[in-house]
Structure formats: C-alpha cells, structure tokens
C-alpha cells in the first residue's frame, strides 16, 4: 500500500485574513498566488474573508491584475471563474500603519463581517507583508485595535527577523508583550512542509539510510545554493544584506539542520524544533577560520552581464559585499565528529540549484577497492528531486564499473498530483494553527549566535577582500571539490 498524505482538509469557517502591505512585491509574487492556489485546490474555505491593507490607493482589480502572472494553473481547470470567485472574497482598506484611524476602520470591517456571519469565536490571521522596519508598529496596532480577545489571533511575520543576534533579540522583545509564542508565525519560506517532510521521510522512513548517516560512513555533508542571476535592481537591499545573511544564516542552516539532527522523539511540532535546536548547539560560532572562499561577481566573460559594482542600484562603488561564500565547519556530536560540513552560496553563478549532498566514503579495500563512492543528493530547487549514485556493471563483455543515478524526480513520479508550494503549505498551516515549519525564537537565537561573529568579521575593518569571479561562472577559484 502506498501511504499518501490523506490528512483530511479541515477548515476553520469565516476566518478573516488581513494582509498588511498588500500593495507590495511579496503580496503580488507569493501571498496572493499561494492563496489562490489553496483556494483553487479546495484548501481555502470559501467562507474566508481577505482584507488587504496598505497606504497606496489601489483597487482589488489592480491587485488581481498584478498577481496574475505569478499564479499557477490549477489541476482542475476553469481558472478564470475561480479567480473571479476568489477575488470576490477580497476587499481593500487604505490606511496608514502608524495611526489608529485605519485600524479602527479595519476593525469595523472585520466586526461587520463576523457579525453578519454570526461568528462566536473570531479567527483572525494577520499577515505582515511589510518591511521589517515597521513590524513592531503594525504588531502593536493589531494588538491595540484588532486583536480577537474572545477568539484566535495569529500573526504571520516574514523574514528577516533582525540582522544579527542583538537586533533579533530586540525584535523578539518587542513582540513578547503583544502576543503569545503560539500566536506568532515566523516564516522561513525557503522550506515548505513538503521539502521538510521529504527530507525527514528519506532519513527516517528508510532505515538503511539512517543507519549509514554518520561519521563511520560519510565523508562530508555539502549544502549548495546557486543562483544564475545577480543583485540586478535590488542592489540597495543586497548591499546591506550580503549572501551570508540573505540565505546562509537562515535557509541553508535550516536545510543542514534537518539533514543532520537526531530523530525527533515524535512528529510533534515542538519535538522537531527541539531536535533542531539540539543540533545547532553542537556547533561553534563561525569566524575567520571557517571561511574557505569569499567572492563577488564581476562582469560576465562575454561582457553582457554587469559586475556587481556596475549595478546602478549598488551605490557604494567600493563595496566588499559578498555575493559568494564558502564555509566549512564541524558538528560536535557522536554522529558527526570529524565530518566536514561544507556550506556554499553564490549569486551570478552558472546554475540555478539548491541541494544537499551526502558524500559517502570511498572503499579502501575489497573487490572493488577504490571505486567511486556513493552520493545521496536532495535537490530542493528548481525541481524537487532525490537521487543516489549507484555503482553497477557497464553493459558488455568487459568488467567495467559504471556509476548511474537512481533518480526520483517528483514531477515525474507524481504527475497528476498537486504538490503544494512553500507558501501554500505555510499559509495553510498557519490557518490550522500548525507551527512546526515556522521558526521558533530559541532556534533563531542559536542561529544568530552562530553567524553573528562571522558577519562581524566580513563586515568589519579586517574584512577579507572578495575574489572577483565572472558572472555565470562556477564561482571563485579554490573552492573545495
Ligand atoms: N519580496 C519578496 O520576494 C520577499 C521574500 C522574502 C521575504 N520578504 C519580506 O516580506 C516583507 C515584504 O516584502 P516586499 O518585498 O513586499 O516589500 P515592499 O514591496 O517593499 O513593501 C510592502 C509594502 O509595504 C509598504 N511599505 C514599503 N516601504 C515602507 C516604509 N518604509 N514604511 C511604511 N510602509 C512601507 C508599501 O505599501 P504602501 O506604501 O501601499 O503602504 C509596500 O507596498 C519584508 O519583510 C521582506 O523582507 C519579501
Ligand atoms: C484613488 O484613485 C482614484 C482613481 O484611480 C481617484 O479617483 C481617487 O480620488 C483616489 N483616492 C484618493 C484618496 O486619493
Ligand atoms: C536511526 O539511527 C539511530 C542511531 O543509529 C537509531 O537510534 C534510531 O532508532 C534509528 N531510527 C530509525 C527510524 O531507523
Ligand atoms: C569496503 O569493502 C570491504 C569488503 O568488501 C568491507 O569490509 C569494508 O567495510 C568496506 N568499507 C567501506 C567504507 O564501505
């Protein structure tokens, strides 16, 4: 029997979702497409009310038009009709973030809706799709003016949760008096539930993998993030962020943690997060000794793509901002002592790929002494794929070894199935009050503790000089094999 995810779809009726900053980039590219995806696959109850809130003077019709190019086709067709019905659930309120007026109108709109539906216990979800500089402003106003005292309130917050340990703690401190821990959903959109489950299932539902997943058998663990484009048009944001803060401290560390942590004691959200925190505590804060290579992309070889510094949106023309970093470090526990962990991330590279690669050891004796060692690889992006390299005999008379791929590409295996994307899973979970795939504060704290010293070094007076690598290449020379 094949086990599928047959968890029944359970709805909370008459939920109100408020999207703050609904006029922005995130709402257009991710939030609306995800909500429409859930709706069209029957995973968002039609009784839901979606209220957009922002300062701009825009209409629902304009929001609909701008998100359209980012919406996926549904598996059952008839999307135009569905789109129309979906946007009938949406309304828009124009208001400021820092004064009561708009929030009072928002509260009136919510109460009118709840009253009309005869709602006894309100269920309100607030999505903060606004810049981090106003997270606390909006959060305080939500608490003051629109909090569901006699029902359920949930607040979804987007990364970044601070720029270092100190600012992250500052933000946590600001949220603390406003909401209980279980009311706050901090999104790390990189891993949807499907990705996380895929990794945990591979490791723990296949005992042979679990049993070889340790220092006795594994040579190294490698996490790779490769982006084929640079900071084009977003240099302002990127120059103050850098590749380490943008993807390594959060996304890549998440992948690594899930791939190396011990088996959680249960399927419970907090058991999984406990296992993650335990693992992170086995690592030492990162610093200069962990840096293998740092780089910044230059012009492409054909001269068509501009260097990082030539980008109009990068204002500091002497910026040492890293667009590439390779780190190596250790995990000090029984399972991993002595196994190098390699983490690499770069923009303006030759490929579009995010993966974790478990490199097995070479066999140093026996009949096939020295044959190519096995690898177990999970691609998260662009296509969910799991594969293993496997030694076999090449066809023909000669006794020749050949390494092949045992390949499980999701889209080929599950052609007809709707595989929810990261934001779809996350929003769905928040509606249901499931927080396993959201980031817990102690997790955030440990991850910033690990990366803050490294950030201080690469952004400080003795910052390493990045090696310039051509846009579209494999990155700086001297990166590990
Ligand atoms: N874009 C992405 O792909 C992405 C990915 C991951 C995380 N995020 C995070 O998601 C959040 C929203 O991102 P976004 O790209 O949508 O941001 P955005 O487009 O810059 O901002 C969203 C909306 O917030 C309002 N706003 C912008 N700057 C403001 C300011 N200085 N003061 C007050 N209001 C301001 C604007 O709406 P009005 O002027 O109409 O009020 C804007 O439409 C951020 O925390 C970001 O870090 C974004
Ligand atoms: C909003 O824009 C519409 C036209 O798109 C205009 O008629 C209306 O006066 C504007 N409202 C405000 C408050 O600026
Ligand atoms: C995985 O391996 C560990 C240690 O080798 C063991 O304690 C645990 O029971 C194993 N779990 C599964 C599901 O195989
Ligand atoms: C290599 O193979 C030999 C025998 O074929 C076996 O005893 C040994 O454990 C193997 N080593 C590894 C690292 O798999």
């Amino acid at each position: 029997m094949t086990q599928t995810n047959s968890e029944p779809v359970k709805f909370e009726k008459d939920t109100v979702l408020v999207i703050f900053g609904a006029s922005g980039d995130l709402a257009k590219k991710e939030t609306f497409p995800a909500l429409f995806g859930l709706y069209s696959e029957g995973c968002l109850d039609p009784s839901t009310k979606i209220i957009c809130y922002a300062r701009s003077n825009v209409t629902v019709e304009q929001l609909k038009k701008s998100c359209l190019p980012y919406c996926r086709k549904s598996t059952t067709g008839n999307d135009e009709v569905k789109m129309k019905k979906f946007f009938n659930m949406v309304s828009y309120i124009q208001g400021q973030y820092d004064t009561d007026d708009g929030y009072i109108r928002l509260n009136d709109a919510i109460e009118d809706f709840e009253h009309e539906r005869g709602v006894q216990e309100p269920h309100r979800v607030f999505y903060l799709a606004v810049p981090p500089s106003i997270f606390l402003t909006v959060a305080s106003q939500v608490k003051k003016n629109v909090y569901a005292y006699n029902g359920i309130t949930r607040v979804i917050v987007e990364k970044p949760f601070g720029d270092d340990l100190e600012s992250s703690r500052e933000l946590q401190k600001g949220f603390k008096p406003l909401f209980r821990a279980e009311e706050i959903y901090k999104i790390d959109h990189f891993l949807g539930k499907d990705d996380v489950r895929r990794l945990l299932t591979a490791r723990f539902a296949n005992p042979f993998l679990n049993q070889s997943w340790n220092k006795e058998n594994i040579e190294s663990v490698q996490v790779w993030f490769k982006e084929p484009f640079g900071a084009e048009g977003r240099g302002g944001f990127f120059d103050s962020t850098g590749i380490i803060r943008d993807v390594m401290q959060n996304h890549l560390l998440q992948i690594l943690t899930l791939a190396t942590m011990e088996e959680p004691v249960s399927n419970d959200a907090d058991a999984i997060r406990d296992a993650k925190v335990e693992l992170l505590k086995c690592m030492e804060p990162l610093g200069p000794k962990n840096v293998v290579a740092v780089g910044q992309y230059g012009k492409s070889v054909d001269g068509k793509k501009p260097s990082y510094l030539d980008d109009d949106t990068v204002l500091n023309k002497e910026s040492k901002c890293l667009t590439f970093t390779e780190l190596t470090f250790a995990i000090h526990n029984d399972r991993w002592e002595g196994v190098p962990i390699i983490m690499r991330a770069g923009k303006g590279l030759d490929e579009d790929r995010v993966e974790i690669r478990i490199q097995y050891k070479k066999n140093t004796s026996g009949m096939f002494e020295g044959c190519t060692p096995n690898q177990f690889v999970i691609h998260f992006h662009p296509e969910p794929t799991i594969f293993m390299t496997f030694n076999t005999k090449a066809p023909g008379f000669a006794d020749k070894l050949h390494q092949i791929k045992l390949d499980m590409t999701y889209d080929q295996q599950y052609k007809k199935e709707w595989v929810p994307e990261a934001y779809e899973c996350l929003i769905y979970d928040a509606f249901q009050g499931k927080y396993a795939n959201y980031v817990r504060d102690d997790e955030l704290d440990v991850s910033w503790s690990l990366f803050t010293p490294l950030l201080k070094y690469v952004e400080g007076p003795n910052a390493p000089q990045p090696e310039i690598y051509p846009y579209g290449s494999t990155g700086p020379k001297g990166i590990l094999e």
Side-chain angles (χ1 to χ4, degrees):
M1 199 186 88
T2 47
Q3 285 186 357
T4 53
N5 187 4
S6 56
E7 196 179 304
V9 180
K10 184 185 95 226
F11 291 119
E12 306 237 21
K13 288 268 177 210
D14 305 314
T15 297
V16 175
L17 169 68
V18 179
I19 306 171
F20 291 102
S23 54
D25 187 62
L26 179 81
K28 169 178 78 181
K29 289 190 187 147
E30 304 285 358
T31 319
F32 281 118
L35 286 166
F36 176 66
L38 290 171
Y39 175 79
S40 58
E41 302 297 336
C43 298
L44 181 77
D45 197 89
S47 71
T48 308
K49 174 82 189 158
I50 300 171
I51 304 178
C52 301
Y53 188 103
R55 299 171 305 182
S56 312
N57 182 13
V58 292
T59 60
V60 171
E61 196 54 37
Q62 282 167 325
L63 293 177
K64 178 177 163 185
K65 266 210 191 103
S66 62
C67 78
L68 220 51
Y70 301 98
C71 289
R72 280 202 287 173
K73 269 207 183 93
S74 73
T75 53
T76 46
N78 229 354
D79 287 4
E80 238 169 80
V81 177
K82 284 183 189 145
M83 182 62 85
K84 206 169 159 203
K85 284 192 182 158
F86 170 73
F87 271 95
N88 280 341
M89 295 156 60
V90 181
S91 63
Y92 184 80
I93 291 180
Q94 189 181 358
Q96 298 297 320
Y97 299 111
D98 54 354
T99 54
D100 291 343
D101 161 68
Y103 295 91
I104 293 171
R105 283 183 286 122
L106 174 63
N107 193 53
D108 289 346
I110 295 175
E111 284 184 351
D112 283 351
F113 169 79
E114 287 167 352
H115 185 74
E116 196 181 290
R117 299 285 171 96
V119 174
Q120 299 297 320
E121 276 180 42
H123 179 215
R124 302 177 182 173
V125 182
F126 300 96
Y127 194 122
L128 273 51
V130 292
S133 54
I134 58 166
F135 279 172
L136 281 177
T137 310
V138 178
S140 317
Q141 284 288 355
V142 165
K143 184 63 188 280
K144 182 174 172 196
N145 287 304
V146 273
Y147 186 81
Y149 280 98
N150 52 346
I152 298 170
T153 301
R154 298 194 172 116
V155 181
I156 304 179
V157 191
E158 278 287 342
K159 72 151 202 178
F161 318 115
D163 323 311
D164 56 17
L165 184 59
E166 202 183 323
S167 55
S168 161
R169 286 200 172 146
E170 202 60 34
L171 203 57
Q172 289 177 31
K173 224 169 80 192
F175 271 98
K176 205 155 219 156
L178 300 174
F179 304 105
R180 296 193 305 272
E182 67 273 21
E183 292 177 323
I184 302 175
Y185 291 72
K186 296 206 178 90
I187 284 195
D188 187 331
H189 72 281
F190 202 66
L191 291 186
K193 183 157 79 180
D194 248 54
D195 294 310
V196 176
R197 287 288 151 188
R198 202 156 36 238
L199 217 166
L200 295 186
T201 313
R203 285 191 61 192
F204 301 115
N206 300 293
F208 81 99
L209 272 185
N210 175 46
Q211 273 147 38
S212 67
W213 208 265
N214 52 39
K215 60 178 188 276
E216 282 77 28
N217 300 289
I218 291 174
E219 180 75 30
S220 66
V221 176
Q222 311 183 14
V223 190
W224 240 131
F225 173 99
K226 299 177 97 175
E227 228 169 39
F229 46 85
E232 287 97 332
R234 295 178 72 227
F237 156 77
F238 197 80
D239 209 52
S240 60
T241 306
I243 195 81
I244 297 175
R245 208 178 261 118
D246 197 29
V247 302
M248 296 176 107
Q249 175 270 339
N250 37 38
H251 306 327
L252 298 195
L253 192 61
Q254 284 282 327
I255 293 181
L256 178 72
T257 310
L258 289 161
T260 53
M261 69 185 191
E262 296 303 311
E263 191 179 3
V265 294
S266 76
N267 227 338
D268 179 68
D270 278 309
I272 295 175
R273 302 202 289 191
D274 287 344
K276 287 162 83 177
V277 172
E278 274 314 302
L279 185 278
L280 290 173
K281 287 183 179 160
C282 301
M283 288 165 48
E284 284 166 14
L286 303 172
K289 65 180 189 311
N290 303 103
V291 176
V292 180
V294 291
Q296 189 185 75
Y297 65 84
K299 241 189 226 347
S300 60
V301 174
D302 64 8
K304 285 187 181 148
K305 295 284 189 183
S307 70
Y308 177 75
L309 296 179
D310 284 342
D311 191 303
D312 293 340
T313 52
V314 175
L315 300 177
N316 175 9
K317 295 300 172 194
E318 276 158 30
S319 173
K320 283 186 175 181
C321 178
L322 304 181
T323 63
F324 184 101
T325 299
E326 171 168 353
L327 303 171
T328 173
F329 47 89
I331 296 173
H332 299 294
N333 65 12
D334 265 3
R335 191 189 283 273
W336 297 113
E337 196 65 65
V339 179
I341 310 293
I342 301 164
M343 193 187 265
R344 307 178 179 103
K347 292 174 95 66
L349 295 182
D350 58 334
E351 273 185 298
D352 189 13
R353 186 148 52 84
V354 180
E355 69 171 31
I356 184 155
R357 191 169 284 260
I358 308 296
Q359 175 70 57
Y360 277 83
K361 287 187 177 167
K362 216 182 205 140
N363 197 332
T364 49
S365 63
M367 201 172 148
F368 297 107
E369 177 188 341
C371 68
T372 317
N374 303 101
Q375 292 187 338
F376 184 85
V377 183
I378 301 183
H379 285 185
F380 297 91
H381 182 83
E383 270 196 338
T385 302
I386 293 182
F387 72 84
M388 225 170 121
T389 60
F390 188 83
N391 291 315
T392 182
K393 184 195 160 306
F397 297 117
D399 259 341
K400 239 174 118 180
L401 272 182
H402 189 201
Q403 195 166 57
I404 58 156
K405 252 187 183 182
L406 294 180
D407 187 350
M408 205 289 274
T409 300
Y410 246 58
D411 284 2
Q412 283 164 19
Q413 188 84 17
Y414 301 107
K415 277 199 182 92
K416 291 213 183 75
E417 254 140 294
W418 175 61
V419 182
E421 287 184 346
Y423 271 97
E424 290 166 335
C425 295
L426 287 165
I427 294 174
Y428 180 80
D429 278 1
F431 269 56
Q432 318 270 327
K434 291 187 188 153
Y435 47 81
N437 296 304
Y438 286 85
V439 189
R440 202 167 65 182
D441 279 355
D442 56 345
E443 209 181 325
L444 205 55
D445 241 51
V446 201
S447 62
W448 277 123
S449 307
L450 294 176
F451 275 85
T452 300
L454 176 67
L455 286 163
K456 289 222 163 99
Y457 164 59
V458 302
E459 290 169 358
N462 299 318
Q465 189 63 40
E467 178 184 330
I468 305 297
Y469 58 93
Y471 193 121
S473 70
T474 54
K477 289 180 220 96
I479 64 174
L480 301 172
E481 250 319 291

